[in-house]
Amino acid sequence: MSEADSTHDSNQIEEKLDNGKAETQTSEKSGQALDATKVETAKQEKTEEVSNPAANNDTTEEKEGANGATANKDAEPAPEKAPEPDKALLKEQFQLFAKFGDKSADGKSIKLSQSDKWFKQAQVIEGKKITTTDTGIAFRKIAKNTPKLSFVGWNKYLDEIANSKGVDVNELKNKLTGCGKPGLSGATSVAKCAAVDRLTDSSRYGGTHKQRFDSTGKGRGKEGRVDPKSDGYVAGYKQKGTYKDR
């Protein structure tokens, strides 16, 4: 390589270095200018905050209000609790249903079948929300190995059902107090038709069946079921008592 070419290359290298230094200085100046602009903007914002605090408070309140509204919108409303039931009426209902269908019961403890009868009449057992399977499981859990529950234990049984099914126990108690006395709901009714009237008309009965009813059609009880003492004559004999005269 000639001396002239070497000199030319050296000049190009120096020129590139000078250009790089110039670009670096320009970038540094641009960054300094940008930083200065940011600092100036921050100073202006602080000055505005000091000079107009009411506007800043309004903005802050608007943000807080918006956040609060969003939080209230997301939060679900709390369900209203059912009112407290009449405890005396609930205990009275307990005693009535504890005696229902059992003449020997004293009303102090209740069986599962009696409680289920009560639940059905009060429409606590209805659909798939609460079933007899649910009541049976809860009853066994509280009663252990005993067939009956006292009033105190039965209230614990209600709490167990309410907790397991996610319902308000007071709502259950209000239904149970307001369902009325135990009754034979769904009992078979007597059909009304000519055939039934004819078959139940005691005036048409004959033989021994006729003896079981009086003239008004009322049953005679045990008297109608005991055969009268025989006098030796067949029924319908018209010459009864005339044998000696012949």
Side-chain angles (χ1 to χ4, degrees):
M1 181 181 295
S2 62
E3 184 177 353
D5 293 335
S6 299
T7 302
H8 180 69
D9 293 339
S10 299
N11 292 334
Q12 286 183 345
I13 292 171
E14 290 177 358
E15 185 177 352
K16 289 181 180 181
L17 291 173
D18 293 338
N19 291 336
K21 290 180 180 180
E23 290 177 357
T24 302
Q25 292 176 356
T26 303
S27 300
E28 291 176 354
K29 289 180 180 179
S30 298
Q32 291 174 358
L34 183 59
D35 293 340
T37 302
K38 289 182 179 179
V39 171
E40 186 65 26
T41 302
K43 289 181 179 180
Q44 289 179 359
E45 290 178 353
K46 289 183 180 180
T47 304
E48 290 177 357
E49 290 177 359
V50 174
S51 61
N52 192 9
N56 295 327
N57 291 336
D58 293 341
T59 303
T60 303
E61 290 177 358
E62 288 177 0
K63 291 181 180 179
E64 292 177 352
N67 294 333
T70 304
N72 293 332
K73 185 176 180 181
D74 294 338
E76 295 181 358
E80 296 183 1
K81 291 186 177 181
E84 287 283 340
D86 187 339
K87 294 181 179 179
L89 180 57
L90 182 63
K91 189 171 184 178
E92 181 182 347
Q93 285 283 90
F94 175 87
Q95 293 171 346
L96 290 174
F97 279 92
K99 293 179 181 179
F100 185 74
D102 187 356
K103 294 181 180 180
S104 63
D106 56 4
K108 295 181 180 179
S109 57
I110 194 169
K111 295 185 292 187
L112 175 60
S113 59
Q114 294 168 328
S115 181
D116 281 351
K117 154 69 181 170
W118 189 3
F119 275 37
K120 290 176 182 177
Q121 184 168 320
Q123 296 184 344
V124 172
I125 294 178
E126 186 179 24
K128 297 182 179 179
K129 182 66 175 177
I130 298 178
T131 65
T132 52
T133 302
D134 300 321
T135 59
I137 293 172
F139 197 93
R140 284 291 126 227
K141 185 174 182 180
I142 302 300
K144 305 300 182 184
N145 295 325
T146 58
K148 293 184 177 182
L149 284 174
S150 65
F151 183 67
V152 175
W154 182 79
N155 276 277
K156 294 179 180 179
Y157 159 70
L158 286 184
D159 292 335
E160 176 64 25
I161 292 177
N163 291 333
S164 63
K165 304 305 292 185
V167 296
D168 188 355
V169 68
N170 286 337
E171 182 181 350
L172 298 182
K173 291 180 179 179
N174 285 323
K175 286 184 177 181
L176 294 169
T177 54
C179 70
K181 296 181 179 180
L184 297 173
S185 59
T188 304
S189 59
V190 178
K192 297 293 183 181
C193 64
V196 173
D197 292 339
R198 176 173 56 81
L199 294 172
T200 56
D201 185 2
S202 62
S203 64
R204 298 188 179 207
Y205 294 168
T208 58
H209 300 290
K210 187 175 183 179
Q211 304 301 321
R212 300 185 66 175
F213 300 89
D214 60 15
S215 59
T216 63
K218 183 179 180 181
R220 297 173 61 192
K222 184 179 179 180
E223 183 183 353
R225 297 194 299 272
V226 176
D227 293 334
K229 186 177 180 180
S230 176
D231 55 3
Y233 290 93
V234 296
Y237 183 67
K238 295 180 180 181
Q239 296 181 2
K240 179 180 178 181
T242 63
Y243 180 77
K244 293 181 180 180
D245 297 336
R246 293 187 179 186

